[in-house]
Amino acid sequence: MAPLSTPPHRTGPLVIQPLKRRHCAECQAGPLRMLVLEDGAPRCLDCADLGHLVFLPRGDTALTRRSREESALSAVVVRFNRRKSRYERQGVLVEEAGLARAEERCLADAEARRRRRVRDARRRAREDARFAEAFAVEIRRLFPACPADRARDIAAHASLRGSGRVGRSAAGRALTEGAVTSAVVASVRHMDTPYDQLLMSGVPRHEARRRIAAVVETTLRGWRAEVSEVG
């Protein structure tokens, strides 16, 4: 049997997933899925006194760390990568009871994270509602004759979190006149003119905007008028 290359030294027992068929030098069991090198000879996990451990694949860093913390005995499992000419970690062997305790700790953390996400979502919802309300108030200040329901709809649309719309920009968050007006113009363009139909019929965007510019300006001029003037 060709000798196995010796993997790099690590703290604690080291277990190898062999690339070739190997048998235990002590009990002849095999081929082995995992082995331990003792004096250059392969030993099965039972002969190496590691047979009671369970394999935890890599991937969950927190679970791996806690499983090792909860296990009196653990081992790192590696496999040789021929292409990279190095041993790479595949997971760990840990005590089954230690793994169970680690899973309980991770579940408790997951529940705590879930509750925190719920709290954060509620906080963001309150913040978004306050901001949308402030945005609507600013719309009504700049366009006094804009219907209240329409102002709220425009504000809700423009300030939707994650939308990338003008209300989420720095200017929008600052409730600048330019940002608020842009939100109102966009709403009028899509809701009160044939702009969308023009685009769908193949009219270039700039030409479509030119065609509906007068309607947009007329609507904005009416909304800018004092309520008493339009009542």
Side-chain angles (χ1 to χ4, degrees):
M1 182 179 69
L4 290 171
S5 299
T6 303
H9 175 73
R10 293 170 182 262
T11 303
L14 187 67
V15 174
I16 300 171
Q17 291 180 342
L19 301 180
K20 298 181 179 180
R21 294 169 61 90
R22 303 292 180 182
H23 289 72
C24 178
E26 186 170 331
C27 71
Q28 305 306 312
L32 302 174
R33 292 191 309 108
M34 299 183 192
L35 59 85
V36 176
L37 282 179
E38 291 184 350
D39 299 324
R43 297 287 193 279
C44 69
L45 296 186
D46 286 333
C47 291
D49 296 328
L50 300 176
H52 64 294
L53 301 180
V54 295
F55 179 59
L56 175 62
R58 67 181 180 180
D60 190 326
T61 303
L63 182 59
T64 296
R65 173 174 53 80
R66 288 173 171 174
S67 294
R68 299 196 74 185
E69 292 172 354
E70 295 288 350
S71 298
L73 178 63
S74 64
V76 174
V77 179
V78 298
R79 183 169 60 217
F80 190 72
N81 186 320
R82 288 197 179 102
R83 184 174 60 84
K84 297 180 180 179
S85 298
R86 70 187 186 195
Y87 280 90
E88 294 180 335
R89 185 169 180 153
Q90 303 301 308
V92 293
L93 290 171
V94 294
E95 295 173 342
E96 189 168 5
L99 175 57
R101 289 191 294 270
E103 288 173 336
E104 289 177 359
R105 290 171 59 186
C106 288
L107 285 173
D109 277 0
E111 176 61 20
R113 288 193 296 272
R114 185 194 67 79
R115 291 196 297 266
R116 184 164 60 248
R117 286 194 298 270
V118 170
R119 291 195 301 271
D120 289 345
R122 290 172 178 168
R123 174 183 52 77
R124 288 192 297 269
R126 291 193 297 269
E127 292 173 351
D128 290 350
R130 287 194 293 268
F131 176 62
E133 182 179 354
F135 204 100
V137 168
E138 188 62 12
I139 290 174
R140 294 275 288 169
R141 186 185 73 82
L142 295 173
F143 302 92
C146 176
D149 288 348
R150 183 66 181 276
R152 285 192 292 269
D153 289 344
I154 295 172
H157 181 79
S159 63
L160 182 65
R161 185 182 291 269
S163 65
R165 296 170 188 146
V166 65
R168 303 308 301 187
S169 66
R173 298 294 294 177
L175 296 177
T176 65
E177 181 174 344
V180 174
T181 300
S182 293
V184 174
V185 169
S187 177
V188 172
R189 183 184 298 134
H190 291 287
M191 300 294 294
D192 303 293
T193 77
Y195 178 69
D196 292 350
Q197 291 91 327
L198 290 173
L199 294 181
M200 290 298 293
S201 66
V203 177
R205 180 171 60 89
H206 294 296
E207 173 61 17
R209 288 195 175 192
R210 186 191 66 78
R211 293 187 189 182
I212 55 92
V215 177
V216 172
E217 183 54 38
T218 298
T219 302
L220 295 183
R221 189 182 305 114
W223 284 359
R224 285 192 183 99
E226 294 296 335
V227 176
S228 59
E229 296 177 3
V230 299

